[in-house]
Amino acid sequence: MKKIEQIDLNVTLEKKEYKKKLKKLQFEMLNIQQFLYNNKIGLILVFEGMDAAGKGGAIKRLTQRLDPRGLVVHPISAPQYHEKRYHYLHRFWRKLPQRGQVAIFDRSWYGRVLVERIEGFATDDEWMRAYDEINSFEKTLTDDDFIIIKFWIHVDEQEQLNRFKERETNPYKMWKLTDEDWRNREKFDDYIECANDMFNMTDTKNAPWFLVSGNNKHYARIQVLKETIKQIKKEAKRRGLTISDTGNEI
């Protein structure tokens, strides 16, 4: 069973090595994007994690060299009033990619078993049955030519505080910090408990969770790229397909 407590938050990656690996992996990811398009396989990437864990930075590096015409990033926040009139998964169904394209969810349907559970926006019955609903939702997609990969990026409380303080003084990052972030910080341990329950109930063979150490941003970004590429190659092989190697020539 995957648990946050198992993550080694002390791992690091030096900037020089990071840049070298980043370029190579980004071009490999571009090659994979063409493979997905040619074989009409949809890719869905889910990003969850603590506030200021580096989800946005990881997504930016993952997509930096991809063709934007085959890619969409969905930043997910609280549902709008009209969306609450539907089943909670409805708004995510509408954002799914075409086969052959890529959709990235910065926050996702897992809000039902995280923030909605913790804040009481979902009843006990609603969030408890959501595990099976989500597993069925994801299985429906992976049975139908979609690949789903889910990331939890984690930072400890001190690193999160350091990043919050930086955002308070950086004019280019101030917009990222809200009163809600500070309130969520007070429930740090609750999020760990709920996340561990989430991994236990929804880490499936067809839609696995990958837990990433986020205290070092360079390390986290490389791990996200490596795990994404590795999982897609694994799924391609399972389908009897081969991803051609470009040799990462630039």
Side-chain angles (χ1 to χ4, degrees), residues 67-118:
D67 186 336
R69 294 170 296 179
L71 166 73
V72 61
V73 178
H74 298 294
I76 302 299
S77 56
Q80 298 296 312
Y81 174 77
H82 70 278
E83 292 175 323
K84 294 180 181 179
R85 295 181 292 178
Y86 298 90
H87 188 279
Y88 73 96
L89 288 174
H90 176 267
R91 64 179 177 138
F92 300 107
W93 272 108
R94 300 181 66 212
K95 292 178 171 64
L96 296 177
Q98 301 176 30
R99 294 186 185 89
Q101 297 195 341
V102 181
I104 298 176
F105 290 85
D106 184 351
R107 303 288 189 193
S108 68
W109 42 92
Y110 283 98
R112 171 63 47 129
V113 297
L114 291 170
V115 62
E116 292 184 32
R117 170 185 173 180
I118 291 170

Side-chain angles (χ1 to χ4, degrees), residues 147-186:
I147 296 172
I148 298 178
I149 308 170
K150 303 175 298 196
F151 291 102
W152 176 276
I153 305 180
H154 195 71
V155 292
D156 61 32
E157 289 185 83
Q158 184 58 52
E159 180 61 24
Q160 185 188 65
L161 180 60
N162 294 342
R163 294 182 186 184
F164 277 15
K165 288 182 176 179
E166 182 199 359
R167 289 179 178 185
E168 279 186 317
T169 58
N170 187 329
Y172 297 106
K173 293 185 178 182
M174 285 180 178
W175 64 273
K176 292 184 176 184
L177 187 64
T178 66
D179 291 339
E180 186 176 346
D181 293 327
W182 287 108
R183 287 196 300 271
N184 289 342
R185 180 171 163 76
E186 295 175 3

